[in-house]
Amino acid sequence: MKLNTGELVTGALVISALSGFVLAYQYEPATPFISTVAMEATIPFGPFWRSLHFWASQLFLLLLFFHIYKTISWPLDHQRTTHKRHWTVIALTVPMAIFALFTGYVLRYDATGQDACMIAEHLLLKVPLMGHALNRFLIAASDEGINRVYAVHILLTFLLWGFGTWYHLKRVTLKWPAFMSLLIALCAFCALIEAPIDLPGQNVALIKGPWFFLGVQELLRYLPPFIAGVLYPMIPIAAITALPWLPKPRVGLWITGLWGLSYGYLTLVASLR
Amino acid sequence: MTRRQLLTKAGKWAVGLGLFFPLYSFIMKKRYRPPIQIQIKEALKPGQFLMEKEFALFQTTKGPLAVSRRCTHLGCIVNYHETGKIFLCPCHQSKFHWDGRYISGPAKKDLYRLKVRPLEGGKGFLVEIPRGKA
């Protein structure tokens, strides 16, 4: 049985989305932390569903990165305008996927989730001109609690599903063997391994953000928030989405690769703290 | 581009923009919400303090002082370390004196001071947290 990465990405997204809808039946954005803890402590199969949602989403993002890595040379060989447009639209699902994972991380609303939410809000407000509007659309937790984070988290499911299947799946399919092997492997894993959550009231000296933001967190110690938290993470997104349109697409690959190395280094430094 | 194609395109844009404005207005509207008022029903002697989730309340010889625990860098909750009488931000390691004055780290600004007044009868305090600062 040969599994292609596109199928696995889709499979992980389907499992993540479905388990997310299951969680939504018991999740309350008005009391986010309490309802998350209730799932862990009192609701039958709560830990399993939370774990399945958490790990399927992590896997989805990792597989998405791997899928991009496997297909990164595609825009070098496909220079028709429709192909270029397709690549750019699909590349934009990467920041969407990262934000979907990030909002999920916020929604459990433990100490790290709350701080991550505030950091994201402050970073968005640093964006010139559009900062306020972006914050009102995506987070606005200081004024609205996490209602909007929750709304965006669900909206992103639809967007990722829509772009990933309706728009993109014209070329790649999801067959039963790929989906079932992923589902069984994830269920087995998640029946044993729980999704993390911080207990309240710990006076910790260092909070670490989600693994995919550790590099940004490290850089925020040294550089102004707009550069470290907005401009720097935009570099690979800009490079990848613009890849087929660049006069020399390989330059885009180099920029992305070098950025990846720098981010890997920063992540390593942050994780060793 | 033919006239029909042009009109179709213009129609799509009109529908899109026509929907964008109601969406934008709906989302951008900020409902007025009064500041959050927190009652502390505990008397403090000078030198004593109370650590709440959003702020720290210190009783000094000059009266009560409420210091917001939101880091002025990116809004994380700072932790109080009693031994050195400092606040330390767990996210990016900014440090502040007990009264909120900035010491070091990327925050660069003092912690916010919140409005606080003693409750009638001297049995506690009323602390006010403005919306957007909590």
Side-chain angles (χ1 to χ4, degrees):
Chain A
M1 179 175 67
K2 191 175 170 296
L3 301 174
N4 75 51
T5 58
E7 263 186 294
L8 293 176
V9 176
T10 314
L13 175 64
V14 169
I15 296 166
S16 162
L18 291 178
S19 54
F21 283 117
V22 173
L23 292 185
Y25 277 74
Q26 292 287 2
Y27 182 77
E28 288 174 30
T31 53
F33 183 70
I34 292 170
S35 58
T36 311
V37 172
M39 279 182 220
E40 286 291 318
T42 58
I43 297 167
F45 296 103
F48 171 73
W49 284 113
R50 220 172 75 74
S51 180
L52 187 62
H53 186 56
F54 180 85
W55 293 109
S57 313
Q58 305 286 318
L59 187 66
F60 164 68
L61 188 64
L62 287 172
L63 285 168
L64 186 63
F65 289 148
F66 185 59
H67 182 56
I68 295 169
Y69 167 74
K70 291 257 288 185
T71 54
I72 198 83
S73 63
W74 190 85
L76 307 184
D77 311 326
H78 295 75
Q79 285 291 314
R80 283 212 337 248
T81 307
T82 48
H83 288 147
K84 288 181 181 178
R85 201 180 296 140
H86 186 94
W87 172 269
T88 300
V89 171
I90 277 309
L92 282 172
T93 58
V94 178
M96 283 185 209
I98 292 171
F99 199 66
L101 250 76
F102 177 75
T103 47
Y105 180 85
V106 166
L107 285 176
R108 70 184 193 222
Y109 222 55
D110 53 5
T112 25
Q114 288 177 39
D115 282 341
C117 184
M118 278 299 133
I119 293 174
E121 179 161 359
H122 281 75
L123 286 179
L124 278 184
L125 289 170
K126 300 270 186 243
V127 176
L129 302 172
M130 301 153 65
H132 177 65
L134 278 177
N135 182 45
R136 295 295 294 165
F137 267 87
L138 298 174
I139 298 179
S142 298
D143 292 317
E144 313 286 347
I146 58 162
N147 281 354
R148 290 181 181 208
V149 179
Y150 189 42
V152 168
H153 189 66
I154 294 171
L155 170 70
L156 282 168
T157 309
F158 284 103
L159 291 179
L160 285 169
W161 193 304
F163 282 116
T165 56
W166 163 67
Y167 186 76
H168 194 47
L169 270 195
K170 284 180 284 192
R171 285 142 223 245
V172 185
T173 54
L174 172 61
K175 289 184 220 71
W176 281 108
F179 183 63
M180 288 314 282
S181 39
L182 206 56
L183 183 65
I184 291 165
L186 266 171
C187 285
F189 181 81
C190 296
L192 301 171
I193 309 284
E194 289 190 8
I197 188 163
D198 299 340
L199 295 171
Q202 293 166 316
N203 208 17
V204 286
L206 177 65
I207 279 180
K208 288 181 185 175
W211 59 270
F212 45 91
F213 277 156
L214 277 183
V216 168
Q217 182 178 5
E218 185 63 24
L219 206 60
L220 277 167
R221 286 165 171 248
Y222 317 113
L223 296 178
F226 178 64
I227 297 173
V230 181
L231 278 188
Y232 175 72
M234 286 291 289
I235 294 172
I237 294 166
I240 289 178
T241 47
L243 205 57
W245 310 90
L246 296 173
K248 286 182 182 167
R250 288 208 177 273
V251 176
L253 287 185
W254 272 102
I255 293 172
T256 310
L258 289 173
W259 183 91
L261 277 179
S262 74
Y263 200 75
Y265 175 72
L266 285 168
T267 305
L268 186 69
V269 172
S271 57
L272 290 176
R273 278 189 189 279
Chain B
M1 189 183 286
T2 64
R3 199 173 65 159
R4 178 183 287 268
Q5 283 170 326
L6 186 75
L7 283 173
T8 313
K9 204 165 206 177
K12 282 178 186 167
W13 273 96
V15 172
L17 289 176
L19 278 175
F20 178 76
F21 179 68
L23 176 72
Y24 184 83
S25 324
F26 181 85
I27 289 172
M28 292 303 284
K29 171 71 185 169
K30 201 187 272 187
R31 278 182 293 146
Y32 171 74
R33 289 182 174 93
I36 303 162
Q37 292 191 324
I38 296 178
Q39 274 195 15
I40 306 286
K41 291 192 172 166
E42 202 173 318
L44 295 175
K45 289 178 191 152
Q48 288 185 318
F49 70 93
L50 196 72
M51 203 53 55
E52 290 288 303
K53 185 172 163 274
E54 290 289 341
F55 60 87
L57 181 62
F58 296 92
Q59 182 63 288
T60 71
T61 47
K62 290 176 187 165
L65 180 72
V67 179
S68 165
R69 289 181 66 190
R70 288 271 167 218
C71 183
T72 45
H73 179 218
L74 294 170
C76 294
I77 293 281
V78 294
N79 291 320
Y80 188 60
H81 294 262
E82 214 177 332
T83 42
K85 289 194 169 181
I86 56 158
F87 287 103
L88 174 67
C89 176
C91 295
H92 307 102
Q93 311 289 292
S94 291
K95 279 184 193 161
F96 308 87
H97 289 290
W98 69 275
D99 56 357
R101 279 176 300 129
Y102 166 78
I103 302 173
S104 65
K108 309 285 184 218
K109 276 192 285 186
D110 297 346
L111 294 174
Y112 293 113
R113 300 229 175 132
L114 305 174
K115 259 190 207 167
V116 54
R117 62 184 166 84
L119 287 176
E120 278 172 35
K123 273 276 176 192
F125 306 90
L126 188 74
V127 180
E128 210 169 83
I129 306 175
R131 296 280 177 171
K133 291 270 163 67

